[in-house]
Amino acid sequence: MKVKHLWFLFISLFLVVLVACSNGEEDASTNEDSTGDTNTSLTTDENAEDTNDEVVTLVYARGADSTNATDKIVEEFNKLHPNIQVEFREMPADTGQQHDAYVTMFNAGSSEIDVMDLDVIWPAEFAQAGYVLELDRFIQQEGMDLNAYNQGALSASQYNGKQWALPKFIDTGLLFYRTDIISEDQVPTTWDELLTLAKDNQGAAGNEFGYLMQAKQYEGLVCNAVEFIASYGGSFLDENGEVVVNSPETIKGLQKLVEFATADFVPGNVTTFAEPESHTAFIEGQSAFIRNWPYQWNLANDENESSIVGNVGVAPLPAGDAGSAAALGGWQTAINKHSEHKQEAFEFLKFMTGPEGQKLSAIHGGLAPTLPELFEDEEILEANPFFAEEGFVEGLNAAVSRPVAPNYPEVSEIIQINVSKAIAGEMTVEEAVESMEKELTAVMQ
Amino acid sequence: MRKVSKEKRREQRAGFLLVAPSLALILVIAIWPVIQSFYFSLHDYQLSDPTKSTIHHSYTFDLERYLNNEPFILSAIDQQQDVPNEALESLTGVKQQLVDLDQQLRDIPEIEANYETMNEMLMNFEVPSDEMKYITINREFGRTYETTIEEINEEMDLLTEHYELQQEDKLTGLTDALTESIIEPNFIGLSHYENQLTNIRMWQALWNTIVFTVISVGFELVIGLAIALLINKAFFGRGIVRASILIPWAIPTAVSALMWKYLYDGQNGIVAKYFSDIGLIERMSTLLTTDTGAMFAVIFSDVWKTTPYMALLLLAGLQTIPNGLYEAASIDGANKWRQFWHITLPLLKSSLLVALLFRTLDAFRVFDLIFVLTGGGPANSTETISVMAYKFMFSQTNFGEGSALAVIVFICVAIISAIYIKFLGSDLLTDDVKK
């Protein structure tokens, strides 16, 4: 017995020591962090004094760019600003991986990157976590007019009443159709019209399907759901972050989504479809319609890959009771809060998200500008005749952002699961909406 | 007598000393992570939320965050023009509340000491150090601050409901953000467990895990035993059969999961096509898009992949059974079936126990196969508890909740091991003693 007691004592002592050790480690690391911070602020001070005669090097990060637009922007900016030299750092192309890389870096208070691009769903999270610098003071100083921007894209980079980034390019969901099957005056303007047309044209011109969408349990499903729901006037969260999902409008929109996803004219396994599956089926000529992002246009007209070159038309997504709505995608540019050259970083940010930078990325990268005036620019239209398509511009104007929340991944997951269950028939749409209301309320507190 | 016992005790002590290092090692590598997870699971620990991104045991005030918001609210209120008198009155009230609160804050010596310097630093876009911005405050003041901000927020909500304000978004947003200046202690006791135990999603995930484990281990056991008996026989080409049977086990799980994903595909999958041709499933797409289909698909891949491992473990057991026993039995007139039932099975018992225990624990923690093959879908019908823990921890960076799930997995695994050892192991132990 005694021996047992002794052992118990030994083990508990051992545990106490271990716990103490680990706490010690944590403390030590925070201390290290904070001293690091003091150092950076000191260096900032010094730099601030002699920016005039010294060349400052900025590091700009974004996901791998397959076009040369980024190089062009950097080159042009460096030419115009001999005092500031920008270096481009490539990050992983996958947005999830990129997110994780930034989170790791910024959590440690790193200052190695000064300016970076953020996916449209990150700003709230990054703002709340204190990774990015608020731009209000700069915007005020420069007297910039934010009304020139596409307001949907602009509001995606606002959180808690402040501007955390500026929109660089915009992406929205669009409806693409086969011009050899659907004539121009036949293009559907409402979801119900699309439903009939997709049903009637299944089988036309060797088609297997009438309509393609993304219904897998992943982020793309949230985009599809936002489009259906907003076009019937519903939404998940209002602008104050209150949960408003349980409304007749949302139910109606979601019912329409379920009607499409379970129709005979979509692939039977549409619930395993993300972008690659759906665009492959479309460019192989298997469907009359598809909902996808703007890149679908170039891909469908690529002679090496597509069998429907020249037979593709684009239109805004069909309307519900409340008009047409498209999910907003795109990227924003922000400044690292721990950057050592914030003034210069803002200079670059302003250039890139301003008319000059956006023009370069539209011409060389085929990206849609967030400054509506640029859609009338001759040079841009020459490089991208697609931008002049009425359907495209209308689609952009109908952009609706996904729910804005600092814990967006959690919100997105709740939507994905419940919408999936509604499509699978495990829940009625009403039940799915109720369960979303309950779960969203719990995580939005 | 005395001498003997003294010697014995010394021997005992030496024995303990000899095992002490290994015990310490077990503590460090096996028990320590569990304790760490348990410690995290008692806190509301979320990386994405600055007020919860580390473990705090006392009230802390984030001066930087405060100074980044408060002055802007005051100026936004001042800029507010053309409002009805009542609205203006309540705005002035809010302003007065903010000014009073600010004064109370500055009465705290640690805050007063840094207030002006920090303000200046922020104007110059400098980042203050953690020591400067985090100030420990007492609980009482923390509560006062929180209730005042709550009152202000309610006032703002009322205001925006009744009146049109030009600065509406700015005002509500900024006042909301004031709450984030107070960092509450985030020790929450067993709340995460309470949440999870009342969460239908957790029970469904647990149920999925149990269904997956029981069915796949059951099939693996039967098929694995059959294969083991077969390759235990001497026949021509036995070496090649033994080697080739191991191929599925040798392929990394993520790779084989991806392979099966293509085989099950609703449009081009060969396996899906054959299954629907022979009428096993209704349509090709059934496999990955319905709940039972997806569960079947996952179990089928797992059985394919791990049966060889089971067979290998059982084969090792079979080879320890002396051939003489079978010879004696057949001389006594026992047929093959009786031999299997009375010689093979009893003598294989310890190997069976080991194989079952290994596989059950493995199957219970299944992650990679499901993550790649179905990602937990469709509609969460194949989400196991490990997949769920991964989603909480890494995609939502909610370490507290995820740790609670990890601890729940650990408890389940401990229960399973205990049951196995109780029902199968006790027999083994008594057998050993008799021998």
Side-chain angles (χ1 to χ4, degrees):
Chain A
M1 275 308 276
K2 259 188 184 166
V3 177
K4 251 188 191 169
H5 278 299
L6 268 178
W7 270 111
F8 183 69
L9 190 73
F10 173 68
I11 290 173
S12 28
L13 264 177
F14 189 68
L15 290 183
V16 168
V17 169
L18 274 180
V19 172
C21 281
S22 82
N23 279 347
E25 267 165 33
E26 268 167 39
D27 285 346
S29 64
T30 23
N31 278 338
E32 235 170 60
D33 264 2
S34 48
T35 39
D37 278 352
T38 351
N39 284 338
T40 39
S41 48
L42 277 178
T43 38
T44 331
D45 241 347
E46 280 164 19
N47 281 329
E49 276 164 23
D50 43 32
T51 29
N52 291 336
D53 33 313
E54 236 179 71
V55 175
V56 168
T57 311
L58 288 181
V59 178
Y60 162 60
R62 58 155 285 163
D65 186 3
S66 51
T67 68
N68 61 353
T70 305
D71 295 333
K72 287 269 186 220
I73 294 174
V74 169
E75 206 177 286
E76 187 71 24
F77 179 82
N78 287 348
K79 217 190 296 169
L80 288 172
H81 299 81
N83 279 345
I84 312 170
Q85 291 302 303
V86 176
E87 250 170 51
F88 170 43
R89 178 167 311 172
E90 215 168 63
M91 302 293 284
D94 177 292
T95 147
Q97 284 174 21
Q98 210 182 122
H99 172 266
D100 296 350
Y102 285 134
V103 168
T104 319
M105 210 181 277
F106 296 147
N107 250 318
S110 158
S111 63
E112 56 180 304
I113 285 171
D114 299 285
V115 182
M116 65 276 166
D117 284 4
L118 307 182
D119 197 350
V120 73
I121 46 183
W122 302 343
E125 180 190 349
F126 280 30
Q128 197 194 29
Y131 299 154
V132 291
L133 183 76
E134 60 245 47
L135 303 175
D136 296 87
R137 290 181 218 239
F138 286 119
I139 291 168
Q140 224 160 21
Q141 256 173 34
E142 306 263 337
M144 286 170 70
D145 181 19
L146 295 183
N147 290 325
Y149 284 95
N150 176 310
Q151 292 301 303
L154 190 70
S155 70
S157 49
Q158 290 166 341
Y159 174 70
N160 267 351
K162 289 188 174 175
Q163 194 76 41
W164 301 90
L166 286 175
K168 182 179 169 191
F169 68 88
I170 187 175
D171 238 358
T172 58
L174 292 167
L175 182 73
F176 296 87
Y177 60 93
R178 293 269 298 280
T179 46
D180 53 336
I181 302 176
I182 308 292
S183 64
E184 203 148 308
D185 51 317
Q186 242 187 328
V187 175
T189 52
T190 67
W191 289 112
D192 293 318
E193 274 176 45
L194 175 60
L195 204 68
T196 346
L197 275 171
K199 202 181 289 175
D200 293 347
N201 289 296
Q202 182 179 17
N207 273 341
E208 208 175 320
F209 314 113
Y211 181 64
L212 295 165
M213 61 190 287
Q214 296 83 33
K216 185 183 168 176
Q217 185 176 329
Y218 84 118
E219 186 60 36
L221 181 60
V222 179
C223 298
N224 278 265
V226 161
E227 287 162 355
F228 274 99
I229 289 169
S231 72
Y232 282 89
S235 75
F236 293 101
L237 307 175
D238 68 8
E239 64 263 33
N240 298 326
E242 303 285 333
V243 180
V244 292
V245 66
N246 197 351
S247 69
E249 291 86 10
T250 312
I251 291 175
K252 211 165 168 194
L254 210 52
Q255 259 159 357
K256 200 51 82 182
L257 182 147
V258 172
E259 202 179 330
F260 269 93
T262 52
D264 287 332
F265 56 74
V266 300
N269 58 337
V270 73
T271 47
T272 58
F273 271 43
E275 280 89 358
E277 288 84 2
S278 51
H279 76 224
T280 312
F282 188 67
I283 60 175
E284 279 171 1
Q286 292 185 8
S287 172
F289 292 100
I290 184 176
R291 175 253 172 241
N292 208 345
W293 306 99
Y295 79 93
Q296 179 74 65
W297 174 275
N298 288 328
L299 189 68
N301 285 314
D302 180 345
E303 285 179 14
N304 295 326
E305 302 208 28
S306 163
S307 61
I308 52 167
V309 177
N311 289 331
V312 187
V314 60
L317 286 172
D321 295 346
S324 168
L328 177 80
W331 288 73
Q332 336 256 331
T333 309
I335 298 175
N336 177 4
K337 192 176 169 189
H338 289 94
S339 160
E340 289 167 21
H341 313 287
K342 298 193 173 78
Q343 201 74 45
E344 294 82 358
F346 186 73
E347 222 29 69
F348 179 60
L349 186 151
K350 198 176 69 178
F351 175 82
M352 194 159 59
T353 57
E356 304 106 313
Q358 290 209 20
K359 193 168 167 176
L360 288 171
S361 67
I363 293 175
H364 299 282
L367 302 172
T370 56
L371 294 164
E373 57 181 40
L374 291 180
F375 284 106
E376 281 147 35
D377 189 291
E378 299 265 318
E379 280 174 73
I380 294 182
L381 289 182
E382 198 182 319
N384 298 282
F386 168 55
F387 285 167
E389 292 264 338
E390 210 182 317
F392 180 73
V393 179
E394 278 175 39
L396 286 188
N397 290 336
V400 180
S401 55
R402 280 165 265 173
V404 176
N407 50 350
Y408 181 76
E410 225 173 321
V411 170
S412 164
E413 204 177 287
I414 291 172
I415 297 171
Q416 289 171 31
I417 293 171
N418 286 294
V419 175
S420 282
K421 285 189 174 173
I423 295 175
E426 271 181 44
M427 280 183 175
T428 65
V429 168
E430 285 82 3
E431 282 167 356
V433 167
E434 267 166 41
S435 123
M436 273 194 266
E437 183 183 33
K438 209 178 90 194
E439 290 170 36
L440 287 174
T441 316
V443 301
M444 287 307 290
Q445 271 170 2
Chain B
M1 278 296 276
R2 221 191 249 169
K3 204 181 169 190
V4 175
S5 76
K6 209 175 184 182
E7 221 166 69
K8 209 175 176 185
R9 222 185 292 159
R10 196 184 301 148
E11 239 171 54
Q12 247 177 4
R13 219 177 297 147
F16 276 124
L17 272 179
L18 278 174
V19 284
S22 58
L23 274 176
L25 205 65
I26 289 172
L27 269 178
V28 170
I29 62 171
I31 301 177
W32 174 238
V34 176
I35 292 172
Q36 184 83 325
S37 295
F38 184 68
Y39 178 70
F40 286 155
S41 73
L42 298 177
H43 296 84
D44 192 3
Y45 181 19
Q46 299 181 23
L47 214 57
S48 62
D49 186 337
T51 63
K52 292 168 183 165
S53 60
T54 43
I55 285 170
H56 296 277
H57 289 121
S58 59
Y59 271 91
T60 311
F61 190 76
D62 185 346
L63 188 56
E64 184 197 9
R65 221 166 254 274
Y66 174 78
L67 290 177
N68 264 331
N69 284 306
E70 201 257 1
F72 290 91
I73 305 178
L74 295 184
S75 71
I77 291 178
D78 287 339
Q79 280 168 24
Q80 195 66 47
Q81 291 155 354
D82 308 327
V83 279
N85 270 339
E86 302 93 73
L88 197 63
E89 233 167 69
S90 68
L91 273 178
T92 329
V94 167
K95 192 178 168 186
Q96 193 54 47
Q97 264 178 308
L98 282 170
V99 172
D100 288 346
L101 192 65
D102 194 58
Q103 195 49 53
Q104 281 178 327
L105 273 171
R106 301 187 65 160
D107 287 342
I108 299 172
E110 292 90 353
I111 290 183
E112 176 61 28
N114 288 330
Y115 196 98
E116 291 304 333
T117 0
M118 180 105 65
N119 227 343
E120 219 159 276
M121 283 176 83
L122 291 174
M123 286 314 264
N124 296 328
F125 305 106
E126 288 164 28
V127 181
S129 70
D130 283 3
E131 279 147 30
M132 272 185 90
K133 67 179 191 187
Y134 290 129
I135 291 150
T136 313
I137 51 172
N138 63 36
R139 184 193 176 86
E140 206 182 322
F141 182 74
R143 286 280 158 85
T144 326
Y145 180 91
E146 279 176 335
T147 44
T148 320
I149 300 300
E150 247 168 62
E151 277 170 32
I152 291 177
N153 271 320
E154 275 166 28
E155 186 84 35
M156 279 296 168
D157 286 344
L158 270 179
L159 262 171
T160 47
E161 241 172 67
H162 293 292
Y163 306 101
E164 282 284 316
L165 304 178
Q166 308 113 304
Q167 309 269 346
E168 182 179 321
D169 287 350
K170 214 170 179 184
L171 281 172
T172 47
L174 288 172
T175 44
D176 261 348
L178 274 183
T179 12
E180 286 161 18
S181 300
I182 286 275
I183 302 172
E184 284 181 54
N186 54 358
F187 179 83
I188 53 161
L190 296 172
S191 303
H192 282 315
Y193 294 95
E194 202 189 315
N195 277 347
Q196 287 306 331
L197 294 178
T198 53
N199 183 356
I200 304 167
R201 184 175 168 190
M202 198 286 288
W203 288 109
Q204 207 211 330
L206 194 61
W207 173 245
N208 290 339
T209 316
I210 291 170
V211 168
F212 173 83
T213 308
V214 170
I215 299 183
S216 64
V217 174
F219 274 105
E220 281 160 26
L221 180 68
V222 176
I223 303 173
L225 187 57
I227 293 175
L229 288 170
L230 181 76
I231 53 182
N232 194 32
K233 296 265 178 293
F235 59 88
F236 175 71
R238 184 173 74 163
I240 292 175
V241 173
R242 275 187 187 179
S244 58
I245 252 170
L246 272 175
I247 290 176
W249 175 248
I251 300 175
T253 315
V255 175
S256 66
L258 208 57
M259 180 185 95
W260 280 100
K261 196 174 166 181
Y262 289 119
L263 293 176
Y264 289 142
D265 185 83
Q267 269 153 353
N268 314 309
I270 300 171
V271 170
K273 180 154 175 44
Y274 286 145
F275 279 3
S276 75
D277 282 353
I278 60 170
L280 204 63
I281 51 176
E282 212 179 305
R283 286 182 300 170
M284 274 172 76
S285 59
T286 311
L287 268 182
L288 289 178
T289 60
T290 60
D291 46 358
T292 33
M295 187 50 99
F296 170 82
V298 169
I299 291 175
F300 193 82
S301 314
D302 191 61
V303 170
W304 174 81
K305 190 188 146 52
T306 38
T307 301
Y309 176 63
M310 195 68 129
L312 203 67
L313 286 177
L314 294 179
L315 179 63
L318 282 177
Q319 292 194 328
T320 60
I321 302 174
N323 227 0
L325 285 177
Y326 292 106
E327 279 164 17
S330 59
I331 287 168
D332 286 347
N335 60 16
K336 288 279 173 197
W337 182 245
R338 277 181 78 91
Q339 286 179 18
F340 172 73
W341 212 241
H342 288 103
I343 301 171
T344 315
L345 268 192
L347 289 175
L348 203 59
K349 208 166 176 182
S350 60
S351 300
L352 273 176
L353 171 70
V354 171
L356 271 180
L357 192 65
F358 274 28
R359 276 304 304 144
T360 314
L361 298 188
D362 237 18
F364 202 83
R365 296 174 322 203
V366 64
F367 173 76
D368 38 5
L369 177 74
I370 289 182
F371 194 74
V372 176
L373 192 55
T374 64
N380 267 8
S381 57
T382 53
E383 186 178 71
T384 61
I385 197 142
S386 306
V387 174
M388 189 176 165
Y390 170 86
K391 286 186 183 164
F392 271 102
M393 278 218 204
F394 297 100
S395 92
Q396 301 177 7
T397 56
N398 187 342
F399 287 120
E401 199 93 47
S403 299
L405 282 171
V407 172
I408 291 175
V409 174
F410 167 77
I411 291 170
C412 291
V413 164
I415 292 173
I416 294 174
S417 320
I419 292 174
Y420 268 124
I421 295 192
K422 187 152 173 63
F423 284 103
L424 292 160
S426 61
D427 264 14
L428 283 176
L429 291 178
T430 45
D431 277 352
D432 282 351
V433 172
K434 267 183 216 157
K435 273 176 206 164

